[in-house]
Amino acid sequence: MRKNIVAGNWKMNKSLQEGLAFAKSLEAALAGKTLKCDVIVGTPFIHLAGVASSVKLGVAAQNCSDKASGAYTGEVSAAMVASTGAKYVILGHSERRTYYGETDAILKEKVLLALANGLSPIFCIGETKDEREKNVHFDVVKKQTVDALFGLSAEDFSKVIIAYEPVWAIGTGLTATSAQAQEMHAYIRKTIAGKYGEVVADNTSILYGGSANGGNAKELFACPDIDGGLIGGASLDVEKFIPVIEGF
Ligand code: PEP
């Protein structure tokens, strides 16, 4: 059975002290609630070890290197991420694709290294506004999925969490309608079924990301192919993040 997941993406926000305090207060606020989803916080690298050792929430890095180790100044390897106690790594976020030139070929390497080090990738795919307007959004999302992920064995693929994040909805306040999101999630699941079969596709968690918040999470998460969210802005405040988690 696939899991329901709500994952926060802090991006480049919060000092170490703020991040640790936030994780502890989020955990305290969730204590005693009956959760219908796993909760993950995606922190900057420097927070990973501290957060992973002080709370029981899932912890994700927001990136890892496409190289295993060596003379790559400033890079952080998948093995290093795993050594912090983090279990997940967000890969292919549109901000990394756009600002840091991450291609599907680079992301393929990152995915392989993440999996080889026991991390579950939260793999982001999604079209730009222009691509949606040109009606090529299904092709774009399919190509991103095929090029970076479809070389994996079924066993490895089953450790991947997909996040459909239409680029035009990230941080813009424009959310895909639940009908638009459901349509794309169903398409992604069908694409996965075509490669790995119905069982693997049924067991794949596909999250929605793009201006999701406490006001729209419930409607989005009620869709049959939407298994949770990757949440940016609304994951930065406990009072805003809890209503998203309670969208389930
Ligand atoms: C994200 O960063 O993955 C994201 C979805 O951001 P926001 O929720 O702010 O649109």
Side-chain angles (χ1 to χ4, degrees):
M1 269 294 287
R2 60 188 188 247
K3 284 185 174 169
N4 292 333
I5 298 168
V6 172
N9 175 13
W10 297 357
K11 311 194 188 196
M12 197 171 70
N13 291 294
K14 298 190 188 296
S15 69
L16 178 59
Q17 292 74 18
E18 287 165 348
L20 290 172
F22 175 90
K24 285 183 191 160
S25 60
L26 176 62
E27 186 165 72
L30 293 174
K33 290 187 191 288
T34 309
L35 299 181
K36 299 205 183 93
C37 62
D38 290 356
V39 177
I40 298 171
V41 287
T43 84
F45 288 128
I46 62 149
H47 301 62
L48 291 172
V51 172
S53 63
S54 55
V55 295
K56 291 199 174 65
L57 302 166
V59 180
Q62 299 171 19
N63 182 28
C64 70
S65 179
D66 60 331
K67 307 288 192 300
S69 67
Y72 300 103
T73 302
E75 287 290 277
V76 174
S77 71
M80 291 171 188
V81 170
S83 75
T84 67
K87 300 281 184 245
Y88 305 89
V89 57
I90 298 168
L91 292 175
H93 193 282
S94 69
E95 287 152 16
R96 299 234 34 109
R97 292 179 189 261
T98 306
Y99 306 143
Y100 300 98
E102 294 195 2
T103 61
D104 291 325
I106 291 170
L107 291 168
K108 185 176 174 179
E109 297 305 314
K110 295 189 179 204
V111 167
L112 287 170
L113 284 164
L115 289 166
N117 286 282
L119 298 168
S120 285
I122 300 173
F123 191 77
C124 304
I125 52 180
E127 80 286 357
T128 62
K129 185 165 178 279
D130 186 48
E131 288 162 344
R132 183 163 276 263
E133 282 168 1
K134 290 190 177 126
N135 208 28
V136 294
H137 45 300
F138 292 110
D139 299 338
V140 167
V141 163
K142 182 172 186 177
K143 184 169 166 33
Q144 290 170 337
T145 308
V146 170
D147 289 359
L149 300 178
F150 278 10
L152 296 174
S153 66
E155 193 190 340
D156 272 348
F157 184 85
S158 64
K159 296 169 191 151
V160 176
I161 297 159
I162 304 277
Y164 168 58
E165 299 209 303
V167 180
W168 48 272
I170 298 178
T172 57
L174 294 172
T175 319
T177 64
S178 53
Q180 285 173 320
Q182 166 56 28
E183 181 186 38
M184 182 59 89
H185 282 229
Y187 174 77
I188 294 165
R189 203 176 300 286
K190 196 174 100 196
T191 304
I192 296 167
K195 168 72 181 171
Y196 292 106
E198 297 286 343
V199 175
V200 171
D202 264 0
N203 286 331
T204 302
S205 295
I206 308 177
L207 316 184
Y208 169 78
S211 299
N213 57 47
N216 55 32
K218 201 174 176 129
E219 183 179 334
L220 287 162
F221 297 170
C223 297
D225 288 294
I226 301 182
D227 307 310
L230 180 56
I231 315 297
S235 75
L236 293 173
D237 292 305
V238 171
E239 316 79 66
K240 289 188 184 157
F241 197 33
I242 300 265
V244 181
I245 295 165
E246 290 183 328
F248 278 112

